[in-house]
Amino acid sequence: DTVLALQGIAKTYNVGLPSQVEVLRGVDLSVDAGEIVALVAPSGAGKSTLLHIAGLLDTPDTGTVTLAGQNLTGQSDRRRTLARRADVGFIYQFHHLLPEFSALENIVLPQLSNGVTKGEARARGLMLLDKVGVAPRAHHRPAELSGGEQQRVAFCRALANGPRLLLADEPTGNLDPATSDQVFDTLMTLVRDTGLSALIATHNLELAARMDRTLRLDAGRLSTA
Ligand code: ADP
Ligand code: ADP
């Protein structure tokens, strides 16, 4: 069962005619159900562009994007947004939690905009926080949490609406090495427990080695490591 399939993806940016930056060319990639795939790329290789195309935030010039069995190539923004909300969770190097809301509220809010009742959203939020060991901090604001705790809450928010695919860009890149290791363990356990598929970009080859498979992106071309 394939959760994400990219075929023949190409993307070029026009940076003021006649200059063009060819960012991705001929990228084929697939992620199976329950699979955790590492994406290793030097800076400028096109990693962010690839993750944004996979997460339906950006469109390729050519190629097809199939998510959870739905071919979303050329679909309207509305359909792509609905598919993104239903099936994709995003994690970044920085937590991007809303500062004026508690950890729990940060996980509840995306569920409310997805039509879940407050009671159900809170129950799911607490269940997720418990899984990552941050339940005792549920009512604290992000600024009152450690860097590792903030990232753990961001993981819970990404999973709030039960996505099929997790896209992560250097999810522990902002943490010191010891914390990074622990928080990465938490992420792997969370993904395995929920049966999610994940595409996780990292510069850290030790972290990549703990995933199921590594893909390397170099100057816009993908290869197996
Ligand atoms: P990475 O995440 O691997 O560092 P990006 O996907 O962000 O790489 O960018 C790849 C290349 O595309 C870089 O050369 C970058 O400058 C260029 N690029 C990215 N976004 C744009 C844009 N909106 N307009 C023009 N060039 C861009
Ligand atoms: P809503 O309107 O319900 O807040 P959106 O449709 O705007 O949600 O976004 C759905 C998902 O895509 C959310 O997880 C959101 O964090 C993510 N997202 C939306 N826009 C961006 C963006 N520009 N960069 C990264 N993630 C984004």
Side-chain angles (χ1 to χ4, degrees):
D1 204 7
T2 303
V3 169
L4 171 70
L6 303 182
Q7 283 171 313
I9 299 293
K11 180 79 178 177
T12 297
Y13 290 111
N14 292 308
V15 284
L17 292 171
S19 303
Q20 292 199 328
V21 183
E22 194 180 23
V23 182
L24 298 173
R25 28 192 166 162
V27 169
D28 298 321
L29 176 164
S30 73
V31 181
D32 285 341
E35 201 182 22
I36 305 180
V37 178
L39 179 65
V40 175
S43 177
K47 177 191 67 175
S48 305
T49 303
L50 181 59
L51 289 173
H52 283 164
I53 287 172
L56 307 174
L57 291 166
D58 199 352
T59 49
D61 299 330
T62 60
T64 61
V65 181
T66 309
L67 187 64
Q70 244 192 312
N71 183 344
L72 290 152
T73 316
Q75 296 293 331
S76 66
D77 283 352
R78 166 112 194 116
R79 283 201 54 186
R80 291 159 47 80
T81 297
L82 289 176
R84 185 175 69 234
R85 281 188 200 164
D87 292 324
V88 187
F90 294 94
I91 301 173
Y92 300 94
Q93 186 172 354
F94 299 97
H95 58 78
H96 298 299
L97 297 169
L98 299 170
E100 67 272 32
F101 292 102
S102 71
L104 179 58
E105 287 165 339
N106 267 280
I107 306 165
V108 163
L109 288 170
Q111 297 181 74
L112 297 184
S113 42
N114 213 31
V116 173
T117 67
K118 210 166 185 176
E120 285 172 319
R122 285 177 62 88
R124 178 166 173 81
L126 287 170
M127 181 275 288
L128 287 168
L129 283 173
D130 189 52
K131 271 187 187 288
V132 301
V134 188
R137 296 281 175 273
H139 303 293
H140 291 250
R141 291 182 184 190
E144 300 168 323
L145 305 177
S146 71
E149 287 170 338
Q150 290 168 344
Q151 265 325 70
R152 289 179 154 98
V153 175
F155 299 168
C156 295
R157 181 193 47 192
L159 268 61
N161 286 326
R164 303 274 309 273
L165 175 69
L166 183 69
L167 297 172
D169 195 351
E170 297 285 349
T172 62
N174 190 38
L175 303 172
D176 66 75
T179 308
S180 168
D181 260 21
Q182 290 171 9
V183 172
F184 190 79
D185 276 342
T186 304
L187 177 61
M188 294 294 276
T189 304
L190 188 63
V191 171
R192 297 277 187 220
D193 279 2
T194 47
L196 257 180
S197 305
L199 181 61
I200 302 178
T202 180
H203 289 301
N204 186 325
L205 296 182
E206 283 172 32
L207 296 186
R210 286 156 66 185
M211 302 185 216
D212 296 328
R213 174 159 80 83
T214 297
L215 296 174
R216 193 172 296 276
L217 185 68
D218 244 311
R221 286 195 174 277
L222 203 63
S223 58
T224 51

